Amino acid sequence: MSDPTEANGTASADSAEAAGAAGGAGGRRVRVVLVDDHRMFRTGVQAEIGRTDETGVEVVGEAPDVDQAVAVITETRPEVVLLDVHLPGGGGVEVLRRCAALMADTERPVRFLALSVSDAAEDVIGVIRGGARGYVTKTITGSDLVDSIFRVQEGDAVFSPRLAGFVLDAFASTDAPPVDEDLDRLTQREREVLRLIARGYAYKEIAKQLFISVKTVESHVSAVLRKLQLSNRHELTRWATARRLV
């Protein structure tokens, strides 16, 4: 059961405005909502960037799923939302869809920066098409993340270096990407596990990276093999490599 405080912002828009521009980061100030389904990750990010006097970042709310994310974002009206791609309730794209009016507000736009473990092209392109201003992976340092947040607040587009090419390629083409019916059978979490397995990660390493148990990893691998009609991880790796998912 979700913590009842997760769906509530910790400061209102009015009180933040009254606080003015004082604080760290050269006097800059930005109000942020953190959306990620892993509590430990949210806690770690808040500890890293939420020292407002030092960073200028004020975390005004957090949420673990789509419904709570939309509620918190609507209530607190942050300048920037750090958004995970894979969330219960429809994923980051669904949050973007339901917050389209907030993004389009010319007076106080809410801008989104995707922060995800996934570096898959379809995930990057999906959230950018949905309206996110950038996409960085969870390997980013705390200082670089703070810098990315302020850049997105100012209207810039921000990407981890190797991800920018995905976006350029996608928007340079007028053709829609082909539909892969086999890949579409997999859930977002199964796709994450698939990519990590194909990259040679052990089950314990995958469990640690995705904040899930080894048993859950094993269940996801079994589901992937069954849905794709494959026999073992070697066949799975070849399958993923052929589709350039690795």
Side-chain angles (χ1 to χ4, degrees):
M1 181 175 179
S2 298
D3 187 281
T5 63
E6 288 176 333
N8 295 318
T10 59
S12 70
D14 291 339
S15 63
E17 289 175 355
R28 297 184 301 175
R29 194 70 166 264
V30 60
R31 301 171 65 255
V32 171
V33 163
L34 177 58
V35 180
D36 192 286
D37 61 339
H38 298 298
R39 180 190 295 276
M40 288 179 60
F41 181 76
R42 297 198 310 271
T43 300
V45 171
Q46 177 148 355
E48 184 72 22
I49 71 172
R51 304 183 304 277
T52 308
D53 289 343
E54 300 175 25
T55 65
V57 175
E58 180 185 7
V59 178
V60 298
E62 58 180 79
D65 58 38
V66 169
D67 287 342
Q68 293 188 54
V70 173
V72 170
I73 294 164
T74 302
E75 178 185 351
T76 62
R77 294 296 294 266
E79 283 88 33
V80 178
V81 177
L82 290 180
L83 180 68
D84 193 11
V85 175
H86 302 147
L87 294 167
V93 172
E94 179 63 14
V95 175
L96 292 165
R97 185 187 70 79
R98 290 168 61 178
C99 291
L102 298 179
M103 288 189 284
D105 188 328
T106 57
E107 296 294 327
R108 294 172 56 199
V110 176
R111 296 189 169 103
F112 287 79
L113 173 61
L115 175 62
S116 177
V117 68
S118 172
D119 59 2
E122 64 266 27
D123 288 335
V124 178
I125 294 165
V127 295
I128 297 305
R129 289 192 186 280
R133 295 293 304 172
Y135 194 116
V136 294
T137 61
K138 290 180 178 180
T139 58
I140 193 170
T141 65
S143 59
D144 285 344
L145 181 56
V146 169
D147 180 65
S148 297
I149 290 169
F150 277 109
R151 288 175 60 192
V152 166
Q153 179 197 26
E154 293 162 2
D156 290 346
V158 180
F159 298 93
S160 293
R162 70 179 296 268
L163 305 185
F166 296 155
V167 180
L168 291 173
D169 291 345
F171 285 89
S173 173
T174 57
D175 298 326
V179 175
D180 189 325
E181 294 182 358
D182 290 331
L183 188 61
D184 284 347
R185 294 192 185 100
L186 306 182
T187 66
Q188 293 285 5
R189 180 63 83 192
E190 288 168 353
R191 295 186 192 190
E192 288 180 330
V193 172
L194 162 66
R195 293 188 189 96
L196 293 174
I197 284 288
R199 291 171 184 169
Y201 284 70
Y203 285 4
K204 288 184 179 179
E205 293 172 321
I206 296 172
K208 182 177 180 180
Q209 183 159 344
L210 298 182
F211 300 97
I212 58 179
S213 69
V214 173
K215 185 174 181 180
T216 300
V217 174
E218 293 172 349
S219 297
H220 285 314
V221 172
S222 296
V224 170
L225 292 173
R226 182 181 69 256
K227 290 179 180 181
L228 300 181
Q229 299 183 2
L230 301 174
S231 301
N232 52 56
R233 66 181 298 161
H234 300 295
E235 291 184 1
L236 186 152
T237 299
R238 288 197 296 270
W239 188 94
T241 302
R243 286 162 173 78
R244 300 175 67 183
L245 299 177
V246 180

